[in-house]
Amino acid sequence: MLVTLFLLARAALLPPGPPSFASPSRADTVPATYPFRVGETLRYSASLGYVPIGRATLAVTGLTRERGAEVFVLSMNGQGGPPGLGMSYAATSWVRTQPFTSRRFHRRVTQAGQVTEQRFEIVADSARYREEGGRQDWATPRNALDELAFLYFLRTTPLEVGRSYVWARYFRTGFNPVAVRVTGRETLRLPNGESAPCLVLHVTTKAGPSELWLTDDARRLPAQARVPFDWGEVTLRLTEVASGGGARS
């Protein structure tokens, strides 16, 4: 599953949840500076136990404008998997910088020769989204986030050990809420050889539980992720940090 191990990606590939017409909620705010900037590229190895099964990349590829607003362009790519279950995953997210909300999201998954490609336009101001080629608008939160944007949102959010957080911000409302419990701190070794204290996040979505380690510093790097599957527990470990880690100016 590779990059799809991160948070909501597994749930997003399940059949659609029931439509929701809940009242719009207040948008969360994020600071004027961010723990990431354009050019930041994070590379990961994926393993099943001690067996390497693939690799993944997260990147902030640019700043542009979408429907008149400044947006980050985020990308997520990966390939690999156990024998017979290999797949590739590619996603692009266009996320408004202020407030931090999704505008567009594209996803392409290839597995066993089958390709699933989805393109969503998210109009959070009007609390709706539509899949390209579809004829129906669906309800979405006004502060909507796709699965890739949600990961970067966690990097901007103050988190405390021992606290639990619940958000109903995923743009496909049938998969909400997303629950995060900060269970503690652990020290992990980063690609440059330094040791860094990390917040350990227990994340629960409709697809089940997973764990995410974020460095407990200004960079808030996703240093590790771990997700159990029927065929074993997969771990992604950060292997390279390129051109990033600074604040947005």
Side-chain angles (χ1 to χ4, degrees), residues 23-51:
S23 299
S25 56
R26 177 185 61 83
D28 291 5
T29 58
V30 294
T33 58
Y34 298 90
F36 48 84
R37 64 185 176 192
V38 174
E40 181 194 77
T41 302
L42 309 177
R43 296 186 174 89
Y44 298 83
S45 64
S47 62
L48 180 62
Y50 293 101
V51 180

Side-chain angles (χ1 to χ4, degrees), residues 133-156:
R135 297 183 178 181
Q136 183 172 0
D137 288 349
W138 298 97
T140 196
R142 285 192 182 275
N143 52 5
L145 296 169
D146 58 76
E147 58 253 30
L148 182 50
F150 219 112
L151 175 61
Y152 284 85
F153 163 72
L154 285 177
R155 294 179 64 185
T156 72

Side-chain angles (χ1 to χ4, degrees), residues 104-105 107 118-122 129-131 171:
R104 277 196 294 145
F105 179 62
R107 181 199 303 120
Q118 295 173 295
R119 296 170 178 260
F120 299 97
E121 182 178 6
I122 303 167
Y129 78 91
R130 174 176 289 188
E131 184 173 355
F171 79 102

Side-chain angles (χ1 to χ4, degrees), residues 31-39 60 62-63 70-72 97-98 243-249:
T33 58
Y34 298 90
F36 48 84
R37 64 185 176 192
V38 174
V60 184
L63 269 177
E70 182 185 63
V71 297
F72 286 115
T97 57
Q98 289 291 339
S243 303
R248 175 178 175 270
S249 60

